[in-house]
Amino acid sequence: MIKLGVNLDHVATIRQQRYTPYPDMLTAIKISESSGADSITMHLREDRRHIQFEDIKLARKHIKTKLNLEMAPTKEMCKIANDIKPDFICLVPEKRQELTTEGGLDIKKNFDNVSKTISSLRKSEALISLFIEPDIEMVKIAKDLNAGAIELHTGKYAEANIREKDYFLNEIKSSAQYAKNISLVVNAGHGLDYTNVKEIARIQEINELNIGHSIIAESIFLGLAEAIKKMKSIIGDA
């Protein structure tokens, strides 16, 4: 079955709204893991709008599954990653004004910077993943950059109308198949929720789906444990 990485950024978002000690990140990690999360994702942003450095340190110390650190390809983040040593690192684009990551990292335009970043992350001993659009050319470039994995951006699929959905789904399928054939680990995520995840979960080449916002939103009504179990069940049924 496809694995589920649970993104806990928005647990921290609630906390940072009032700078309270709650909701407690360690509790969120423990509940997530005991409810079936295969990994925990945290995006340490430059502006620290949700996840803080202390959250990453806490997670590294207590996580029993795997820690996936999302980060921009900057010197500051490389230093943090090399010190923390997460299990996985996913390089993502980042803009101050965006509400959430708006698309894949343009690794063609930023080839040299991404290459230097990957080289500088060797001390972390993490599996390096690149968050990219589902495009064969981008997959080829990821391989040229010696990344070990890719995470396909599913946002366009998630936001598409009925007429467009099949087109974006096929883009994801073909990119996943090509990446698998050239020995890249294939993950996917962004905008996936309880209504649209099943079609993505049917793509056999995908190793793991990283999902956050929809799970945290559903946890308001079901509780975090049941929200994760519900998502795991849908993925399993697919």
Side-chain angles (χ1 to χ4, degrees), residues 94-139:
E94 190 174 301
K95 292 187 292 186
R96 282 287 184 98
Q97 65 271 30
E98 67 186 1
L99 291 176
T100 184
T101 306
E102 295 175 346
L105 184 64
D106 189 342
I107 55 176
K108 182 178 182 179
K109 180 180 178 180
N110 299 290
F111 187 95
D112 290 343
N113 182 47
V114 174
S115 179
K116 290 176 183 176
T117 299
I118 291 174
S119 295
S120 69
L121 287 170
R122 286 175 184 161
K123 291 180 181 178
S124 73
E125 300 178 1
L127 176 68
I128 309 297
S129 176
L130 303 178
F131 185 68
I132 59 172
E133 292 298 323
D135 178 273
I136 298 297
E137 182 183 14
M138 290 297 174
V139 176

Side-chain angles (χ1 to χ4, degrees), residues 150-167:
I150 57 169
E151 181 170 338
L152 296 174
H153 175 235
T154 54
K156 291 179 181 177
Y157 158 80
E159 296 168 5
N161 59 41
I162 294 174
R163 290 178 299 173
E164 297 174 327
K165 227 168 187 62
D166 283 346
Y167 171 80

Side-chain angles (χ1 to χ4, degrees), residues 43-47 71-72 77 92-96 98:
H43 183 177
L44 184 63
R45 282 180 170 266
E46 181 188 20
D47 62 11
M71 53 171 267
M77 291 301 158
V92 301
E94 190 174 301
K95 292 187 292 186
R96 282 287 184 98
E98 67 186 1

